Amino acid sequence: MRTLLALACTLALTAGAARADEPLSAAQKFARESVIVDTHIDAPTELLKHWNDLGLDAPKVEFDYPRARQGGLDVAFMSIYTSPEQDKAGTAWQIANTQIDGVEAMVGRHPDKFAILRSPDDYRRLVDGGRVLLALGMENGAPIEGDLKRLQQFHARGVRYITLAHSHSNRIADGSYSLDRPWKGLSPFGAQVIAEMNRLGIMVDVSHLSDDATVAALAASRAPVIASHSGLRHFTPGFERNLSDELAQAIAKKGGVVQIVFGNGFVDPKTAADTTAYFRARPEFDRAQAEAAARGEKPKTVEEFDQQWERDHPPHPVKIDAVLDQIDYAVKLLGVDHVGIGSDFDGVGGALPEGLRTVADYPNLIAGLQARGHSDADIRKILGENLLRVWREVEAVSKAAR
């Protein structure tokens, strides 16, 4: 039986890459009939590096309109990402707004293909005509700086979740990769940030947080909490970036959802170990270059460090089964109502499993879940219905507070 299921899955994966002029596979039809919500796509960061018209074919990136429609994607949360370095330089506010400008420019160029989604209640109206709806998620609360009024400004621009910290600790919370953890969880300002997010109806995202910060965020929030793009530590022991069983269960108990990430660094233990080592090595590199500059020597650049790192740490091959295993485990651990997807497309340098390389590939995920015995109703929940439910609940908490 397991051999037959594996064969069915393999055939479906092959069919998932069908040309536009070929008949749709069963999984492709299912994708188009379901609501697919991906809570983490890093297209805005890529747009700042190099402008691509994502309303047309853009083969050098992982998200564009033609492949999104091929894959059945309905709602794509555009990640408004700023780095710890930009936070330190005081440029995070400017960069975040520039990325939002880029998303708005895409919509302005192709109003027949894209629209900004600010509320799940607007989904049916805006998706009509085959649009891909673009919601905004801010990855790293750094652009808020120390000003709560900026939350209102970002909410007005469409931001509907905020990942409180990224790879390092900031003014709000401690990060999971950070060696420096000044708050031992959440800062006093971070508690104010969460209260204001609850009031405005912005989802609290605990992906990237330290364990202590995740616990504190769950305690501080009056609304359900999400993990926008996280894996489960069960598969990557010692990798704090992923959620422990206990933290994932706490998110579910509060009514939230864990959005399973696709990137190799989160679903494959060998790649996860390399990722942890990278974020441990970077601070040492930064210190060494600062010392070199102080001695009057020419420091090496981060780009040089990254290139050498990639040479020393070649990629490990990963199959789609690694993501399917995560979803299987999450459903058993949390219940199907608390599991979703947050791919991290365009955010992991192409380090993605075979069969899940672009937004055209959601049918492959569907075929894999069907082959593993998940019901159609449960798959629809995982693909997007769960996230939309949580979003509505966050909005309800906001309305009750006003």
Side-chain angles (χ1 to χ4, degrees), residues 30-46:
F30 188 96
R32 297 191 182 192
E33 293 166 358
S34 305
V35 180
I36 299 181
V37 181
D38 189 326
T39 46
H40 201 86
I41 295 177
D42 277 287
T45 303
E46 294 303 306

Side-chain angles (χ1 to χ4, degrees), residues 325-398:
D325 289 345
Q326 293 254 349
I327 294 175
D328 280 348
Y329 187 81
V331 168
K332 292 174 183 176
L333 180 70
L334 310 176
V336 72
D337 292 331
H338 302 284
V339 184
I341 55 172
S343 65
D344 215 352
F345 283 138
D346 285 320
V348 291
L352 291 154
E354 179 184 342
L356 282 177
R357 297 283 169 79
T358 79
V359 291
D361 292 334
Y362 301 107
N364 295 342
L365 186 72
I366 292 167
L369 291 172
Q370 289 174 330
R372 290 180 176 221
H374 294 271
S375 71
D376 287 354
D378 284 354
I379 293 171
R380 290 190 181 95
K381 289 181 177 182
I382 294 165
L383 292 177
E385 290 177 1
N386 288 338
L387 188 281
L388 293 180
R389 183 199 74 245
V390 172
W391 191 356
R392 290 189 183 97
E393 290 174 5
V394 170
E395 285 191 340
V397 170
S398 170

Side-chain angles (χ1 to χ4, degrees), residues 2-336:
R2 292 180 65 87
T3 302
L4 291 174
L5 289 176
L7 176 61
C9 185
T10 300
L11 292 173
L13 291 178
T14 304
R19 297 193 310 269
D21 58 346
E22 292 180 347
L24 295 178
S25 69
Q28 286 174 319
K29 290 179 181 178
F30 188 96
R32 297 191 182 192
E33 293 166 358
S34 305
V35 180
I36 299 181
V37 181
D38 189 326
T39 46
H40 201 86
I41 295 177
D42 277 287
T45 303
E46 294 303 306
L47 287 178
L48 286 196
K49 295 177 185 176
H50 178 79
W51 175 260
N52 289 292
D53 188 343
L54 299 182
L56 308 175
D57 286 316
K60 292 184 179 181
V61 294
E62 292 151 12
F63 168 85
D64 60 31
Y65 178 81
R67 283 178 292 172
R69 294 311 306 142
Q70 181 183 352
L73 178 61
D74 297 289
V75 180
F77 272 81
M78 299 283 98
S79 174
I80 307 304
Y81 165 71
T82 55
S83 69
E85 292 79 13
Q86 291 160 348
D87 186 15
K88 185 177 180 180
T91 59
W93 162 258
Q94 177 67 31
I95 290 169
N97 279 286
T98 303
Q99 289 183 6
I100 297 173
D101 289 344
V103 175
E104 291 176 346
M106 282 199 294
V107 175
R109 287 168 182 259
H110 300 285
D112 57 328
K113 296 178 179 178
F114 298 118
I116 301 291
L117 182 65
R118 298 172 182 271
S119 170
D121 291 343
D122 295 331
Y123 168 79
R124 292 295 174 192
R125 173 176 60 84
L126 292 175
V127 81
D128 187 44
R131 293 186 186 92
V132 175
L133 306 186
L134 307 179
L136 301 180
M138 180 176 286
E139 187 178 23
N140 193 356
I144 301 167
E145 294 184 342
D147 189 353
L148 287 176
K149 292 180 182 177
R150 290 191 171 177
L151 282 169
Q152 174 69 61
Q153 294 166 344
F154 281 123
H155 181 269
R157 297 210 67 184
V159 171
R160 290 301 181 268
Y161 79 68
I162 296 177
T163 316
L164 300 181
H166 189 249
S167 53
H168 295 290
S169 304
N170 61 13
R171 297 172 186 83
I172 299 169
D174 294 333
S176 63
Y177 294 134
S178 185
L179 298 177
D180 179 25
R181 301 188 178 189
W183 311 117
K184 304 300 184 286
L186 197 66
S187 74
F189 178 64
Q192 294 178 325
V193 167
I194 289 176
E196 182 66 358
M197 289 171 67
N198 287 168
R199 189 187 73 82
L200 292 169
I202 300 174
M203 290 179 280
V204 174
D205 175 25
V206 298
S207 288
H208 281 289
L209 298 192
S210 70
D211 286 1
D212 288 342
T214 300
V215 170
L218 284 161
S221 180
R222 292 180 291 107
V225 164
I226 70 168
S228 68
H229 60 304
S230 287
L232 296 170
R233 205 176 303 165
H234 171 81
F235 296 94
T236 56
F239 185 47
E240 192 176 2
R241 170 63 179 83
N242 279 347
L243 294 165
S244 68
D245 284 6
E246 294 75 17
L247 289 176
Q249 287 171 323
I251 292 170
K253 185 176 180 180
K254 199 173 184 72
V257 63
V258 174
Q259 302 286 104
I260 298 297
V261 68
F262 297 172
N264 294 352
F266 313 105
V267 300
D268 173 62
K270 293 180 180 178
T271 314
D274 286 348
T275 302
T276 298
Y278 172 89
F279 281 102
R280 295 291 184 263
R282 265 297 303 277
E284 294 298 328
F285 169 82
D286 293 341
R287 279 192 288 271
Q289 301 322 301
E291 292 170 0
R295 294 192 300 267
E297 302 171 5
K298 183 180 179 181
K300 294 181 179 179
T301 66
V302 173
E303 288 74 18
E304 289 175 311
F305 174 82
D306 287 345
Q307 290 169 3
Q308 185 61 51
W309 184 270
E310 290 172 4
R311 287 192 291 269
D312 294 341
H313 300 82
H316 306 283
V318 180
K319 295 185 180 297
I320 193 174
D321 301 85
V323 176
L324 294 169
D325 289 345
Q326 293 254 349
I327 294 175
D328 280 348
Y329 187 81
V331 168
K332 292 174 183 176
L333 180 70
L334 310 176
V336 72

